[in-house]
Amino acid sequence: MGAEARNEVRIQDPRQTGFVLMNERVSSGSADIARVEPFEQRHEPGPDELRSLFQKEVQAVRRKEARPGLWIAVAIYLLFSATDLLLIPDVAVYTITARFVVGVTALLTLEAQLRRGAATGWLDVTCAAAIIFGYIGWLCPAMGGADRESVAYYMVFGTIFMMSANLFFTFSFRVSIVTSTIILCILYVVNYFVPASLTYKMVFGTFYVSCFTFTSYVNWKLNEERYNVFLNALEAKIQHNEATERGRALLRLSRTDPLTGLENRRAIDEKLRDYWSDWQKLGNGFAAILIDVDFFKKFNDCYGHQEGDRCLIQVANALSEMIKQYDGSIGRYGGEEFIVLARIDKKDQVADLAEAVCRTVESLAIAHELRRDGISIVTASVGAAFTRKQTAAKLEKIIHEADRALYLAKASGRNCARLFDPTDPQSSDESENLAALLKIAIGQNLVSLVYQPIQDVASGKFEAVEALMRLKMLDGTLVPPSLFIPVAERTGAILELGRWAIRTVCAELLARDHVRVVSVNVSPIQLKTPGFATSVATILGETGVTGNRLAFEITEGLEMEMHSDILRCISDLKLLGIRIWLDDFGTGFAGLSWLRLIDFDTVKIDRSFLHDCGTPKGMAMLQDIIALVRNRGHKILVEGVETEEQMALMRQFGIDKVQGFHVGRPAPAASFQGKRAIQKRPFTVLKSA
């Protein structure tokens, strides 16, 4: 339940910053640093390029529609043989023959061109020629008809060929104009020689021009409309591609650790579930190996967080290369903790892989002078577990076994690998002893609380404190929260410890008004337990503390499923007046989905973002996260403020609250009792009427 110093992962939302994570790395000093690349600038094509793209697309459409278009046109052309029989029966045999000759010739030519893969332009020429020669082929024999009046009026049907050139086929505007112009000229020549009155020639001459003008205009508008549709479709396609790329970037961000380029805990948990499913259904065994960099906090204290990051990157790179030969997966599982998954289930192979991991880290020979165990380089402790017939039917079991093996490796002097062995008492006693210790911790006064101040940036006053749980063994040795909290959650002891912590906070500080607000870390196990909100209400009633004096810090992790029970519990707690804070935002556990579903009073931004402000990218990332949270309307608390420069930066960014060693270190309750400043209440002088 305590917030410990650690190197955490960083999440960057490309919707806010326009950055995507790349798994490439660039050399920087002695380490490879993961690189975050910006999205490529959107290319805006010019008018000429757009027209060129349009022509390519239209050519593809014309090529696709040429065959069905010509076949339909020829079929209609041949069906008009019936009108030949009715209007010019004496020459119908010639016109019908001409129709078949021209139609069949056009179709055969087109099919031959398609078979040879002729250019689209030649297909257009063939279709246009079919229109022109179809008109001429019909016109020549039709002119020989005996009934001159019928022939004269039948000539008007020539406008159909003009219309087909402009409206039926999807020619380019130039081809349509040329084709319809040829038809118009033929019409005028025929109109001139037709034995008819001047009125007839004037009326139908005007009609031909009108038809040409109208169909050409409609053809031009259709081409413009096709171009506009193309532009809209192109814009929609570009937007879709950009949205798809951003979606992929978000997916990569949600599954990749930006510092090391490895898979993050979310991705590894998904892969772990897949491995487990294969084991349950198909019997494909696998190994889970936990790797913890020894004394990494001391390394950070000695060399600084930037060197700490470089150390983690070097370890990640070396392990990633080594694990390839085992066809395994590696991910970052925590601050300085990694996990390896490999599809092997033989004890000797798992032991060899675990030992290879340990030796790979040691072979890097990264200097670590602050150690007190006689080793002056960075090493790792490794705990491994693998699927067996006796493996329990719960996914968490194999991780629990690897964690117990890792604990044994640390207890054995570190820089070693241990394989979980259910028959070895040492593999299970430590965890079981810790579980037994937690059962008596409250009764034996082995558990206690310390409080770390939280300062209001604007006023400079201490607005709240955070309660951090501490546990000691019977001999007085302190147990790190990272060890006993998982055991408490796994065994259910967290429920009693959580109630004790809330009751102690109320009794030690809130009931006597020593501090204004106390925040308490709440486990997902507590939120999922029926009656948790009721038990909190009971504690408030017994201690006489109002709910608005308490804040519950929630961290979304593997156990924190987003289902109705948790949301309902949070809603009940807010009805009691309790403030709900989102802890460790940006570390890969607290996600954007929680900001969307829950109205948090305060969002705590993880310390790693502040510590990375020494680089332009780190500064930009912190600003982006602050802007994201601020746009959601939440108050912002930044952890890890350790220097006056960092404090000045928080004032510059307009942060609401800060927490860190610069503000105050964790201290017992006695340090805060009786120190709350008396608040002066404003008053108003009422004037008599």
Side-chain angles (χ1 to χ4, degrees):
M1 299 178 72
E4 302 296 327
R6 59 195 181 274
N7 289 65
E8 295 290 356
V9 297
R10 295 167 288 176
I11 293 295
Q12 192 166 17
D13 187 350
R15 291 174 298 181
Q16 296 290 328
T17 64
F19 282 89
V20 290
L21 178 68
M22 306 295 291
N23 284 332
E24 304 173 5
R25 299 184 180 92
V26 293
S27 177
S28 177
S30 60
D32 288 339
I33 300 178
R35 183 171 64 189
V36 178
E37 294 286 359
F39 281 122
E40 292 185 1
Q41 293 293 327
R42 174 174 171 177
H43 173 64
E44 295 289 348
D48 293 339
E49 187 176 355
L50 286 174
R51 283 291 178 183
S52 177
L53 292 173
F54 173 65
Q55 291 302 326
K56 289 181 181 179
E57 181 171 297
V58 170
Q59 283 184 8
V61 173
R62 294 206 306 270
R63 188 175 191 85
K64 182 179 180 182
E65 295 180 354
R67 172 182 284 156
L70 187 59
W71 275 88
I72 293 172
V74 169
I76 296 173
Y77 178 61
L78 296 178
L79 287 175
F80 266 96
S81 298
T83 59
D84 292 349
L85 293 171
L86 291 174
L87 298 176
I88 48 175
D90 55 329
V91 292
V93 63
Y94 303 110
T95 59
I96 293 173
T97 301
R99 288 180 186 273
F100 274 91
V101 170
V102 173
V104 171
T105 301
L107 291 176
L108 291 176
T109 303
L110 181 68
E111 292 298 329
Q113 289 176 325
L114 290 173
R115 184 177 296 273
R116 292 197 307 268
T120 305
W122 286 109
L123 302 182
D124 290 345
V125 170
T126 299
C127 294
I131 295 173
I132 296 171
F133 286 103
Y135 178 43
I136 295 174
W138 163 79
L139 182 62
C140 290
M143 291 288 294
D147 188 349
R148 296 297 182 180
E149 185 176 358
S150 295
V151 171
Y153 284 101
Y154 199 21
M155 295 303 102
V156 179
F157 277 83
T159 57
I160 294 177
F161 295 89
M162 184 190 302
M163 293 179 185
S164 64
N166 278 319
L167 305 179
F168 185 79
F169 289 93
T170 56
F171 295 145
S172 65
F173 184 65
R174 182 181 303 173
V175 174
S176 298
I177 286 295
V178 170
T179 306
S180 57
T181 299
I182 293 174
I183 300 295
L184 177 64
C185 293
I186 296 173
L187 282 169
Y188 262 94
V189 170
V190 173
N191 191 52
Y192 178 79
F193 288 103
V194 165
S197 65
L198 181 61
T199 302
Y200 170 92
K201 294 183 178 182
M202 290 181 61
V203 169
F204 283 102
T206 305
F207 171 71
Y208 297 151
V209 173
S210 300
C211 185
F212 172 80
T213 304
F214 173 75
T215 56
S216 298
Y217 174 75
V218 172
N219 178 270
W220 175 73
K221 292 296 292 183
L222 285 175
N223 276 280
E224 287 299 311
E225 185 62 28
R226 292 189 190 104
Y227 182 63
N228 290 331
V229 170
F230 162 76
L231 291 180
N232 292 334
L234 181 62
E235 178 66 20
K237 183 179 180 180
I238 292 174
Q239 291 179 358
H240 173 74
N241 290 340
E242 288 178 348
T244 301
E245 180 57 32
R246 282 177 168 78
R248 290 172 180 167
L250 285 173
L251 181 61
R252 289 195 296 270
L253 283 172
S254 68
R255 297 175 56 84
T256 309
D257 172 44
L259 178 64
T260 63
L262 301 177
E263 292 180 303
N264 63 9
R265 183 163 186 168
R266 187 188 304 272
I268 284 293
D269 286 337
E270 292 177 3
K271 187 163 292 185
L272 180 60
R273 284 191 286 269
D274 292 338
Y275 277 32
W276 185 261
S277 178
D278 289 346
W279 156 248
Q280 294 289 309
K281 296 177 181 178
L282 307 175
N284 297 332
F286 67 94
I289 302 175
L290 292 178
I291 307 153
D292 191 89
V293 179
D294 294 330
F295 301 109
F296 187 70
K297 184 178 183 300
K298 290 182 179 293
F299 186 93
N300 270 341
D301 293 341
C302 180
Y303 300 102
H305 288 281
Q306 288 189 346
E307 286 301 319
D309 287 350
R310 295 180 188 277
C311 172
L312 293 178
I313 292 169
Q314 286 184 276
V315 170
N317 291 345
L319 293 178
S320 181
E321 287 297 320
M322 185 275 298
I323 204 64
K324 287 180 181 178
Q325 58 184 309
Y326 292 91
D327 193 26
S329 301
I330 182 171
R332 190 179 178 197
Y333 214 53
E336 66 273 14
E337 189 173 11
F338 300 89
I339 183 172
V340 168
L341 300 176
R343 294 190 183 278
I344 51 177
D345 58 357
K346 294 182 179 179
K347 183 176 181 180
D348 293 341
Q349 292 178 335
V350 176
D352 291 342
L353 176 56
E355 187 64 29
V357 168
C358 192
R359 300 286 76 84
T360 297
V361 177
E362 185 180 24
S363 65
L364 294 174
I366 303 173
H368 190 348
E369 302 293 344
L370 206 60
R371 295 178 61 151
R372 295 292 184 265
D373 58 351
I375 301 176
S376 59
I377 60 174
V378 170
T379 60
S381 299
V382 180
F386 60 98
T387 50
R388 311 175 313 280
K389 292 182 179 179
Q390 299 82 10
T391 302
K394 288 187 178 181
L395 170 64
E396 295 80 6
K397 183 65 176 178
I398 192 168
I399 297 298
H400 172 51
E401 292 176 350
D403 187 58
R404 285 157 67 175
L406 176 62
Y407 184 85
L408 181 60
K410 291 181 178 180
S412 301
R414 303 179 188 258
N415 189 27
C416 62
R418 290 291 180 268
L419 180 64
F420 176 80
D421 184 356
T423 63
D424 184 359
Q426 287 186 323
S427 295
S428 57
D429 285 352
E430 296 294 343
S431 179
E432 298 304 325
N433 288 341
L434 193 55
L437 183 69
L438 290 173
K439 291 182 180 180
I440 64 171
I442 296 177
Q444 296 290 330
N445 293 323
L446 301 177
V447 65
S448 61
L449 292 177
V450 293
Y451 302 91
Q452 187 171 18
I454 297 173
Q455 184 178 8
D456 182 89
V457 175
S459 65
K461 298 178 180 178
F462 292 114
E463 288 291 315
V465 295
E466 179 184 4
L468 306 173
M469 186 173 289
R470 297 291 184 260
L471 175 70
K472 62 182 179 181
M473 304 184 74
L474 293 173
D475 60 0
T477 304
L478 289 177
V479 181
S482 59
L483 292 182
F484 75 80
I485 292 298
V487 175
E489 290 182 330
R490 188 165 55 244
T491 60
I494 193 67
L495 300 177
E496 184 178 0
L497 289 172
R499 286 192 294 268
W500 172 86
I502 296 171
R503 187 182 299 276
T504 301
V505 162
C506 292
E508 285 186 343
L509 296 181
L510 295 180
R512 300 176 185 178
D513 204 29
H514 293 305
V515 296
R516 181 180 177 184
V517 176
V518 178
S519 69
V520 181
N521 290 270
V522 175
S523 167
I525 305 298
Q526 296 169 266
L527 294 175
K528 288 192 286 189
T529 302
F532 174 69
T534 303
S535 65
V536 174
T538 301
I539 294 173
L540 294 176
E542 291 175 353
T543 57
V545 174
T546 58
N548 62 357
R549 305 282 302 284
L550 267 180
F552 285 169
E553 297 189 20
I554 302 173
T555 300
E556 184 245 328
L558 177 62
E559 307 89 351
M560 191 72 164
E561 300 174 358
M562 207 177 307
H563 53 63
S564 57
D565 290 341
I566 290 180
L567 298 177
R568 189 181 300 111
C569 179
I570 291 175
S571 177
D572 293 340
L573 293 172
K574 290 178 75 71
L575 288 176
L576 294 174
I578 295 174
R579 311 175 192 196
I580 305 298
W581 294 3
L582 179 61
D583 194 14
D584 292 339
F585 181 71
T587 61
F589 302 115
L592 296 175
S593 55
W594 285 92
L595 290 181
R596 179 174 58 86
L597 287 176
I598 302 174
D599 183 20
F600 291 100
D601 297 277
T602 298
V603 173
K604 296 181 71 173
I605 297 177
D606 187 73
R607 70 184 68 230
S608 60
F609 293 97
L610 178 59
H611 293 166
D612 288 338
C613 280
T615 65
K617 288 184 178 180
M619 181 72 74
M621 186 178 293
L622 177 60
Q623 290 176 305
D624 291 334
I625 289 182
I626 291 172
L628 173 63
V629 176
R630 184 166 287 145
N631 289 338
R632 294 292 301 171
H634 309 293
K635 292 183 179 178
I636 301 174
L637 189 157
V638 176
E639 300 177 298
V641 177
E642 299 177 355
T643 65
E644 179 57 34
E645 290 77 9
Q646 292 174 339
M647 189 68 187
L649 187 64
M650 295 299 95
R651 295 191 189 100
Q652 177 184 340
F653 287 166
I655 300 302
D656 301 295
K657 307 169 188 176
V658 293
Q659 184 180 6
F661 290 165
H662 182 74
V663 175
R665 294 177 178 269
S671 301
F672 299 91
Q673 292 172 352
K675 291 188 177 182
R676 183 183 178 191
I678 300 175
Q679 302 291 330
K680 295 183 179 180
R681 300 181 180 274
F683 62 91
T684 304
V685 178
L686 299 178
K687 297 181 180 180
S688 57

